[in-house]
Amino acid sequence: MIPLKVILLGPPGAGKGTQAARLSDALGIPRVSSGDLFRDHQRRNTEMGQLARSYMGRGVLVPDDVTIRMVMDWIDREAGSGGFLLDGFPRTEAQAATLDAAMEESGGIDKAIYIKVSKDELVTRLSDRLVCTDCQMPHSGRDPDTAGSCTRCGGKLYQREDDKPEAVEKRIQVYMEETAPLVEHYREAGILEEVEGERSVEEVGRDLTALISLT
Ligand code: ADP
Ligand code: ZN
């Protein structure tokens, strides 16, 4: 299979993390979430983790220099020639410009997939979201299949600090201001695909798999 470089775009709660986990399992493409990398640094209490905590707790973005270094290191280390699936990066014009430049030599990003969801739905989803301690896959707190454990790996589920109501509003606002413009950035680059995100995980997943398989 040809290595694919895919970005998942969309507001917090759109389903990027859920779909990234499923696509990575189905297609064997390495995936990364910048938020997960930061949370891992926090668990290990590294310097970067401590720095990131102060921003993430408030629902604002971690500064570009730190974020870019961390994600580009991950790409060098883990993605190699196998392609990748990025969830949560890029989130600013500067991050997108750095990624575009770094990928230019290997043919550029193949697709940026924008998962669309209305604001009301985002607030509902984020406030009842539980995340797996082990594989980070998100779950709905109302999902009867979970009973406190991850449906993917059996790990324990917990509520993220920034899924509390005060931070949720702020994250959506930050998304609108800083990240939403990237939809146009990738449309202009001719690699944007849009997917209606207010459907079941399976339906959205089918569309994404089809889009990626067509690449
Ligand atoms: P969500 O997509 O649900 O907001 P993430 O786990 O992707 O969750 O992000 C959580 C937080 O981590 C963000 O609010 C931000 O503080 C930080 N973060 C994640 N990715 C980036 C990024 N690319 N640039 C800056 N900050 C980021
Ligand atoms: Zn899990």
Side-chain angles (χ1 to χ4, degrees):
M1 189 170 161
I2 316 156
L4 279 181
K5 302 192 281 287
V6 176
I7 296 169
L8 294 181
L9 279 177
K16 302 185 300 291
T18 304
Q19 297 296 344
R22 290 168 57 98
L23 281 170
S24 160
D25 290 351
L27 306 171
I29 307 175
R31 68 159 164 140
V32 78
S33 146
S34 40
D36 288 347
L37 290 180
F38 283 131
R39 281 182 287 276
D40 184 53
H41 275 280
Q42 289 180 21
R43 266 190 290 274
R44 292 185 284 120
N45 208 24
T46 67
E47 218 172 296
M48 195 188 288
Q50 289 172 13
L51 178 111
R53 183 176 286 123
S54 61
Y55 294 94
M56 290 172 74
R58 286 182 286 135
V60 299
L61 297 184
V62 180
D64 278 337
D65 56 339
V66 180
T67 307
I68 288 172
R69 194 161 10 101
M70 177 182 73
V71 177
M72 297 315 289
D73 280 353
W74 180 90
I75 292 178
D76 288 342
R77 214 174 45 241
E78 307 284 337
S81 54
F84 53 73
L85 208 55
L86 297 183
D87 156 18
F89 184 94
R91 248 180 166 90
T92 64
E93 289 284 358
Q95 293 176 14
T98 307
L99 182 68
D100 289 349
M103 294 304 132
E104 205 176 309
E105 217 172 280
S106 57
I109 300 291
D110 295 291
K111 271 193 180 5
I113 306 180
Y114 170 39
I115 308 181
K116 283 190 288 190
V117 171
S118 69
K119 186 180 166 196
D120 286 351
E121 173 73 8
L122 297 175
V123 175
T124 311
R125 286 187 187 183
L126 290 171
S127 40
D128 88 359
R129 172 164 84 172
L130 298 173
V131 177
C132 174
T133 322
D134 294 331
C135 79
Q136 276 73 47
M137 188 162 102
H139 295 68
S140 163
R142 287 167 301 178
D143 182 347
D145 294 340
T146 68
S149 314
C150 175
T151 54
R152 179 165 179 261
C153 79
K156 208 164 156 283
L157 301 181
Y158 76 104
Q159 183 181 39
R160 270 169 43 178
E161 204 47 51
D162 60 351
D163 281 343
K164 313 238 157 100
E166 316 77 70
V168 163
E169 281 293 331
K170 183 68 190 167
R171 282 160 62 210
I172 294 174
Q173 183 199 337
V174 167
Y175 169 81
M176 293 309 296
E177 285 166 9
E178 312 216 31
T179 310
L182 296 187
V183 171
E184 291 315 314
H185 174 100
Y186 289 108
R187 201 193 305 279
E188 277 164 28
I191 56 169
L192 187 77
E193 299 283 356
E194 298 185 45
V195 166
E196 179 49 62
E198 277 184 60
R199 295 177 297 155
S200 71
V201 170
E202 288 71 25
E203 285 170 308
V204 176
R206 253 197 308 277
D207 280 8
L208 289 175
T209 310
L211 278 177
I212 290 183
S213 312
L214 285 175
T215 307

